[in-house]
Amino acid sequence: MKNRKHIVICEDAKTRITINRKWCKGCEICVEFCPQKTLLMEGDKAVVRDIASCNRCMLCELRCPDFAIEVSEGTGR
Amino acid sequence: MGFDYMKYLREEKMPHIWCPGCGHGIVMKALIRAIDKAGLDQDRVVVVSGIGCVSRMPGYLDFNTLHTTHGRALAFATGVKMADPTLHVIAVMGDGDAVAIGGNHFIHTCRRNIGITTVVANNSIYGMTGGQRSPTTPLGDNTSTTVYGNADPPFDISALAVAAGASYVARTTTYHAQQIERLIVSGFENRGFSLIEVIGPCFVAHGRRNRARYKSNLDMYREEKETAINVTATKGKPQSELMGKVTIGVLHHAPMPEFTDEYQKVIEKATHVRTI
Ligand SMILES: Cc1ncc(C[n+]2csc(CCOP(=O)(O)OP(=O)(O)O)c2C)c(N)n1
Ligand code: SF4
Ligand code: SF4
Ligand code: SF4
């Protein structure tokens, strides 16, 4: 089994945001250009500030050069 | 479920070596999504690059890949396409690769209209070798080889491709990540040579030496956002209003005969002559 501790999932009924903390290089692009201010830098890693504010525009995922943040539908769990 | 990038990445090679905030990763992601969107068969895709930071891209991609020599991506890609015209051949180059050392390959591949989808990641600098001025470095910029400011006016890569006879030419920036994907997909649909120029940042080798404009890589993305104007919005605007703007979108599309189709005719004629 691979160690998956560096994969952090934040989820509500509508949205799931997955951040790979090993691959995140802290460039801040996702945080700076999120239209909803959903994300935040914590040290040199991106984290979710407020999942409910996300409108799933996908821009953070598309602009992350490091394949470190992904957005999908929440599973309602 | 979200998009499955791992289907197309050599996961053991990741994370990639590009610097934090480098635009090359955005281009790689858009290319992956475009290939998926177009429904290309993964085993029939060939990605060819030259040398430079962006040219490391094929190493991370799980297609048939070829990392060649500086400036020669299009020469190798031409060979691959000629050997089997049914392959989807994609060339990835930097601005140095494409229009400095590889400039002659570039203009003649445009003219020839061979079916190669070419993505030029134009960061206006030689990133890999330490920030030397490239043919697309803006006038006046400081680089490691122009410490008192660049005295050379830059090439407009897209305009060069149109002038050289390319049948599809499109441009966007790394800020406009969704558009990169769309422009590559429509490039695949063009039968012949398609150029997609993506303007991107290199803070480490370029931005950092021009602090008056850029405090961090984020300022470079902001500039891309602020200077871009869609080609459809430029119609009827006076030249004075377009000064300092970067036109994005499909800049040119003029279908013409594709080279391997034409060459097949030559093969058939020559074979016919030999057998009578
Ligand atoms: C024949 C040859 N000349 C010079 C070099 C040195 N060299 C390596 S990469 C490069 C330029 C890279 O710039 P670019 O193509 O714009 O890509 P970037 O690194 O900015 O992504 C140069 C000059 C080389 N490898 N081979
Ligand atoms: S864009 Fe990607 S690499 Fe940059 S801070 Fe956000 S998650 Fe990390
Ligand atoms: S999907 Fe859009 S709104 Fe949600 S975090 Fe990403 S950029 Fe922000
Ligand atoms: S040197 Fe520049 S082009 Fe090369 S990886 Fe770093 S930011 Fe990207």
Side-chain angles (χ1 to χ4, degrees):
Chain A
M1 267 284 282
K2 276 188 196 164
N3 184 356
R4 291 274 168 199
K5 271 211 214 118
H6 57 283
I7 307 283
V8 176
I9 298 174
C10 185
E11 181 166 26
D12 73 1
K14 289 184 303 187
T15 311
R16 167 190 274 234
I17 299 181
T18 309
I19 295 175
N20 181 335
R21 291 178 66 86
K22 241 189 214 162
W23 288 8
C24 172
K25 291 181 188 157
C27 71
E28 301 187 29
I29 294 172
C30 58
V31 173
E32 177 69 19
F33 298 109
C34 168
Q36 299 292 106
K37 302 275 164 253
T38 301
L39 308 167
L40 178 80
M41 292 307 293
E42 198 178 84
D44 59 357
K45 302 289 170 189
V47 295
V48 177
R49 181 186 61 85
D50 170 27
I51 185 92
S53 63
C54 174
N55 64 9
R56 296 190 304 285
C57 68
M58 303 296 291
L59 288 171
C60 55
E61 174 174 327
L62 296 175
R63 292 201 186 107
C64 172
D66 286 278
F67 297 74
I69 183 164
E70 291 181 15
V71 181
S72 58
E73 303 259 306
T75 53
R77 270 181 296 150
Chain B
M1 273 316 283
F3 188 96
D4 182 14
Y5 297 103
M6 290 313 145
K7 178 178 173 200
Y8 300 103
L9 287 173
R10 294 178 178 146
E11 196 172 347
E12 72 282 6
K13 295 275 180 17
M14 295 287 285
H16 56 60
I17 49 113
W18 296 315
C19 306
C22 174
H24 293 340
I26 301 177
V27 178
M28 178 158 83
K29 181 177 274 182
L31 176 63
I32 287 175
R33 295 180 65 102
I35 290 170
D36 187 84
K37 185 85 163 276
L40 307 187
D41 176 352
Q42 194 165 356
D43 289 330
R44 305 291 298 162
V45 171
V46 185
V47 186
V48 185
S49 71
I51 295 291
C53 290
V54 75
S55 289
R56 303 197 58 138
M57 193 185 295
Y60 305 114
L61 292 173
D62 193 9
F63 302 104
N64 302 286
T65 57
L66 211 54
H67 187 182
T68 73
T69 56
H70 194 35
R72 316 294 172 217
L74 288 174
F76 284 88
T78 297
V80 173
K81 187 72 182 173
M82 291 294 284
D84 184 351
T86 67
L87 293 169
H88 305 290
V89 182
I90 298 164
V92 178
M93 295 182 286
D95 41 293
D97 228 7
V99 296
I101 190 170
N104 218 30
H105 293 291
F106 184 77
I107 56 174
H108 290 287
T109 315
C110 289
R111 171 181 64 80
R112 183 177 263 167
N113 198 39
I114 184 164
I116 299 169
T117 307
T118 299
V119 180
V120 175
N122 178 7
N123 59 11
S124 312
I125 204 84
Y126 290 179
M128 174 163 273
T129 44
Q132 294 83 359
R133 178 262 316 277
S134 101
T136 61
T137 303
L139 197 61
D141 275 16
N142 292 327
T143 70
S144 63
T145 46
T146 59
V147 289
Y148 301 106
N150 176 24
D152 268 16
F155 259 145
D156 175 334
I157 297 182
S158 290
L160 178 67
V162 175
S167 54
Y168 174 96
V169 177
R171 173 164 56 203
T172 189
T173 82
T174 50
Y175 177 81
H176 301 85
Q178 264 170 317
Q179 192 181 33
I180 311 173
E181 180 186 328
R182 280 202 301 276
L183 295 176
I184 296 176
V185 171
S186 47
F188 288 145
E189 286 160 7
N190 174 50
R191 196 165 177 88
F193 183 86
S194 302
L195 172 74
I196 299 93
E197 177 188 1
V198 185
I199 294 183
C202 168
F203 183 72
V204 171
H206 177 220
R208 176 171 71 84
R209 292 194 171 88
N210 295 276
R211 291 263 182 198
R213 292 211 303 288
Y214 313 116
K215 301 276 175 294
S216 74
N217 67 69
L218 297 176
D219 287 332
M220 305 188 90
Y221 286 98
R222 264 186 226 110
E223 181 183 70
E224 290 174 13
K225 176 187 175 185
E226 282 155 16
T227 56
I229 178 165
N230 206 289
V231 64
T232 49
T234 61
K235 301 257 165 5
K237 281 225 163 73
Q239 205 54 38
S240 57
E241 266 184 52
L242 298 175
M243 284 283 282
K245 291 283 183 193
V246 174
T247 317
I248 61 172
V250 178
L251 307 182
H252 175 79
H253 189 201
M256 57 180 197
E258 195 271 334
F259 181 71
T260 60
D261 289 343
E262 292 306 298
Y263 200 74
Q264 189 55 35
K265 294 179 195 165
V266 173
I267 293 172
E268 276 155 26
K269 273 191 203 150
T271 315
H272 183 65
V273 169
R274 254 211 330 261
T275 52
I276 49 172

